[in-house]
Amino acid sequence: MRSHLDDPCLMDLQDAARMWRVDGFVVLPGFIPADELSAVVNEVDQMFPSAAGFHDDTDPRAKRFIGDEFAGIDTFPFASTAISLLAVNHRILDLAESLLEDSDIRLSSAEAWAKYTGACDYDQDLHRDYLNHTLLVPSTTPGHRQLEMFVFLNDVPEELGPPHLVSRKHTADLPAVPNWYLRPGREGTGRFVDDSGSPDLYAAEVSGAGPAGTVIAFETGTFHRGTQLTAPRGVRYSMHLGFRSAGLHWGQRAGWAAQGFERAWVDFVHRATPRQLQAFGFPPPEHPYWTPETLAGMALRYPELDLTPWSTSAQHS
């Protein structure tokens, strides 16, 4: 098993973009500094049980996570506003813009995920995510790529189930179908499933293990899989984010207006910056949408939002 943890210069966005284009992914250990994670760590319990709360069955929410690897997912907007803001942290937006080579990007999905040792089987087969992230198929053409990220909210060594990924060097010639390549000894049916065992693919896996704040950026067409949590009384908290260029209309996973009336969404908007809100589709300050009429309406819908950045541009339009 290889690891990217010791690769130099991963904190440089140009180097990260170069590795992302070559391999289809890049692992950035500790990309989000501890001081920018502290508010998130303090609010995780608003969403998920602690390790003790789950393993001692003292948290009434613990039963939710038993038997289904996806039961630990909360979707944006989150009960924790700090975790919602982390989804569009300035470092994450910088990284997304660099990798997608576009300053006008959209957050197409955001999920927070808790996993607990023994809750269920988290060991996945190698797959790509494109089937529920795009209406088409993945493209490596500049301007047409889609980006996903895993963000670790706590330390995730190998025994806490980090994702494993396979470089495009080993998968570039694989067709769009099948999409799942099962582990040796497993059987499956359907045109999206290959159950030949794929030993070469599994031998080429790279671990994404890393400390809290690690970001794993990968393309929608990159083969990857979740792995088992084996640490006694273990827990893994992470986020899964999706980004696309604003004009890439076929890359869709979530429609944010469906949550636009929820209190958690309003709390997020009140604390977000114009740049963060633009990632959800808010027009930038200089956009002709901003008029006295729309600003008056926004003041009613979001009474604690500072509309100065948008109102200033409207006055000069």
Side-chain angles (χ1 to χ4, degrees):
M1 179 69 61
R2 297 175 297 148
S3 171
H4 273 196
L5 292 181
D6 296 324
D7 284 344
C9 303
L10 285 184
M11 302 304 288
D12 181 272
L13 293 182
Q14 291 184 342
D15 286 345
R18 189 159 43 247
M19 295 182 69
W20 186 71
R21 288 192 295 269
V22 171
D23 289 321
F25 72 92
V26 61
V27 180
L28 301 169
F31 186 73
I32 307 296
D35 62 334
E36 294 180 26
L37 275 182
S38 59
V40 169
V41 172
N42 291 337
E43 294 189 6
V44 165
D45 63 352
Q46 295 183 18
M47 299 173 59
F48 304 121
S50 66
F54 174 82
H55 292 290
D56 295 335
D57 198 21
T58 57
D59 191 311
R61 300 172 293 182
K63 292 180 175 58
R64 159 189 164 185
F65 303 89
I66 303 296
D68 181 353
E69 65 172 312
F70 302 114
I73 294 176
D74 281 5
T75 56
F76 192 98
F78 306 122
S80 162
T81 304
I83 296 180
S84 291
L85 290 166
L86 180 64
V88 280
N89 175 277
H90 67 101
R91 298 178 193 275
I92 286 177
L93 293 179
D94 287 346
L95 178 61
E97 291 177 1
S98 178
L99 299 188
L100 292 174
E101 302 177 88
D102 194 337
S103 60
D104 191 11
I105 60 172
R106 296 291 181 268
L107 183 72
S108 54
S109 63
E111 300 168 342
W113 200 345
K115 296 183 177 184
Y116 300 89
T117 303
C120 62
D121 184 2
Y122 295 110
D123 215 9
Q124 297 178 335
D125 299 299
L126 285 169
H127 63 280
R128 295 164 287 200
D129 281 350
Y130 81 88
L131 289 176
N132 59 1
H133 283 70
T134 176
L135 299 174
L136 307 179
V137 295
S139 171
T140 57
T141 304
H144 297 150
R145 298 183 176 102
Q146 288 178 245
L147 167 66
E148 297 179 66
M149 296 183 193
F150 288 117
V151 183
F152 295 163
L153 307 186
N154 62 324
D155 294 345
V156 182
E158 194 62 31
E159 58 268 28
L160 286 182
H164 287 184
L165 307 99
V166 180
S167 170
R168 186 185 294 117
K169 298 171 186 176
H170 303 283
T171 64
D173 295 331
L174 293 178
V177 176
N179 187 61
W180 282 272
Y181 286 76
L182 305 189
R183 285 165 282 157
R186 288 170 53 83
E187 296 181 356
T189 59
R191 66 190 185 95
F192 288 106
V193 175
D194 182 304
D195 60 4
S196 64
S198 309
D200 292 343
L201 287 181
Y202 284 89
E205 285 185 341
V206 170
S207 172
T214 291
V215 173
I216 303 170
F218 61 106
E219 289 188 349
T220 305
T222 298
F223 280 92
H224 65 286
R225 69 184 186 94
T227 63
Q228 197 69 279
L229 278 72
T230 60
R233 299 174 61 84
V235 61
R236 192 196 97 177
Y237 302 119
S238 63
M239 298 183 70
H240 183 196
L241 308 175
F243 290 93
R244 61 175 176 83
S245 294
L248 200 150
H249 302 296
W250 53 88
Q252 50 183 264
R253 183 164 166 84
W256 302 120
Q259 288 80 37
F261 61 91
E262 295 182 9
R263 183 67 215 182
W265 168 260
V266 176
D267 289 342
F268 162 75
V269 170
H270 284 163
R271 291 175 54 183
T273 66
R275 184 190 184 198
Q276 290 175 315
L277 293 172
Q278 186 175 338
F280 290 85
F282 275 48
E286 67 277 5
H287 196 277
Y289 170 84
W290 299 110
T291 65
E293 175 195 22
T294 57
L295 287 164
M298 290 290 282
L300 293 173
R301 180 167 185 173
Y302 303 109
E304 297 176 31
L305 177 62
D306 180 6
L307 291 167
T308 303
W310 297 278
S311 60
T312 301
S313 63
Q315 293 170 4
H316 293 88
S317 61

